[in-house]
Amino acid sequence: MKLTLKSLTIIAAVTCSGAIAETSQAPVQQHNSNALWFENWQGLSNAIMKVTDPNGKFSTIEAKSGTPVFQLQAGEVVDGIYQYELSAATDKTQKIVNQVDNGRGDAARDSVAVPFRLSGRFVVSRGVIVTPEEIKEE
């Protein structure tokens, strides 16, 4: 059975998407040689992506609207496996169960945006983001 890292990532994305899976497709990880972003970014806002490099250094990318984009910084690139955690607000809402969390004064509400979370990884080799070779299961 042949599996690629990309197919495993897509499986993980669909499995982890939670609220998005109910109504539409989950965002799909995309990359070029020096940047990582997501396509099918519909109904999501206020995104935060935390990326950890192989040495443990992490970066935080925020995007009020649209997909967050992680870019490799020239001179600071470490080869290896990078991991990311992505969170965003969906355009769906849910009733606030704990009234302690409903805001104050004019900001008080009875509902809140349903959260979306996704995690994954990508590989950097020779200073660029690459698509790994096929993984062969024996």
Side-chain angles (χ1 to χ4, degrees):
M1 177 183 207
K2 293 182 180 179
L3 296 175
T4 63
L5 185 55
K6 188 172 184 175
S7 64
L8 291 173
T9 302
I10 292 171
I11 292 168
V14 172
T15 304
C16 297
S17 62
I20 295 293
E22 295 174 7
T23 58
S24 65
Q25 268 188 330
V28 178
Q29 175 183 318
Q30 297 293 314
H31 70 83
N32 61 21
S33 62
N34 69 343
L36 174 88
W37 69 93
F38 299 87
E39 291 189 0
N40 194 30
W41 191 262
Q42 298 162 349
L44 297 173
S45 61
N46 296 321
I48 298 174
M49 180 167 60
K50 296 180 181 180
V51 180
T52 306
D53 77 12
N55 290 337
K57 178 182 173 188
F58 72 92
S59 305
T60 301
I61 300 94
E62 297 182 19
K64 289 286 184 193
S65 64
T67 178
V69 178
F70 171 77
Q71 292 195 325
L72 295 174
Q73 301 299 317
E76 300 177 19
V77 179
V78 178
D79 286 355
I81 298 173
Y82 286 62
Q83 297 184 354
Y84 66 82
E85 293 179 7
L86 176 67
S87 62
T90 66
D91 56 3
K92 306 288 184 222
T93 59
Q94 65 186 15
K95 185 171 177 62
I96 295 175
V97 177
N98 225 348
Q99 288 304 313
V100 172
D101 298 332
N102 69 346
R104 294 185 178 153
D106 292 339
R109 302 182 302 205
D110 63 347
S111 63
V112 67
V114 175
F116 168 79
R117 297 195 195 306
L118 177 69
S119 61
R121 56 183 62 190
F122 59 96
V123 177
V124 173
S125 178
R126 296 185 207 146
V128 297
I129 300 172
V130 297
T131 302
E133 300 286 323
E134 279 191 357
I135 300 171
K136 294 181 181 177
E137 188 175 299
E138 299 188 29

